[in-house]
Amino acid sequence: MMALGAGLVADDQVLLTAASNGTVTMAAPAAIAGQIEARYLGILAADTAAAPLNFVVDLGTRPPARLPTPAEAVVLQCRMPLIYARDVAHLAPGLIQMARAGRIS
């Protein structure tokens, strides 16, 4: 997704923090901040930054319908959209668009 313009929060581990306003922030643990594993190349330097968690993607569950009814996840007592995405073609570009402009329904 970085190749499509997404920023990197962390690779393999993410620290989640709930705020009093009902949002969740993601950040890299200090030990791995600024790093990403690239298969067959090694550990590479990469810009990382904390970011809000705006939705959850479940890669183990298939969407129930082509245009599914919106679902929710609860993370650290905060509700947010849940996207079922197992075997979804073109997932990365769709998630990038959703992050940029939101979801209508």
Side-chain angles (χ1 to χ4, degrees), residues 12 14 22 41 48 50 54-55 60 65-66 85 87 91 97-98:
D12 290 337
V14 176
L41 295 176
T48 55
N54 294 321
F55 51 84
R66 182 171 172 230
D87 300 328
L91 177 62
Q97 183 62 28
M98 186 172 162

Side-chain angles (χ1 to χ4, degrees), residues 8-56:
L8 178 66
V9 173
D11 186 26
D12 290 337
Q13 298 176 12
V14 176
L15 301 174
L16 300 176
T17 305
S20 60
N21 65 356
T23 62
V24 175
T25 299
M26 306 176 292
I32 62 169
Q35 301 175 39
I36 188 168
E37 176 188 347
R39 287 187 181 165
Y40 310 111
L41 295 176
I43 306 298
L44 307 180
D47 293 332
T48 55
L53 179 61
N54 294 321
F55 51 84
V56 174

Side-chain angles (χ1 to χ4, degrees), residues 43-102:
I43 306 298
L44 307 180
D47 293 332
T48 55
L53 179 61
N54 294 321
F55 51 84
V56 174
V57 179
D58 178 347
L59 297 173
T61 305
R62 286 187 177 90
R66 182 171 172 230
L67 295 173
T69 301
E72 284 189 336
V74 178
V75 178
L76 300 177
Q77 301 180 357
C78 299
R79 294 184 179 281
M80 60 193 60
L82 171 61
I83 310 301
Y84 297 113
R86 181 176 175 189
D87 300 328
V88 173
H90 313 293
L91 177 62
L95 292 176
I96 294 288
Q97 183 62 28
M98 186 172 162
R100 287 181 181 152

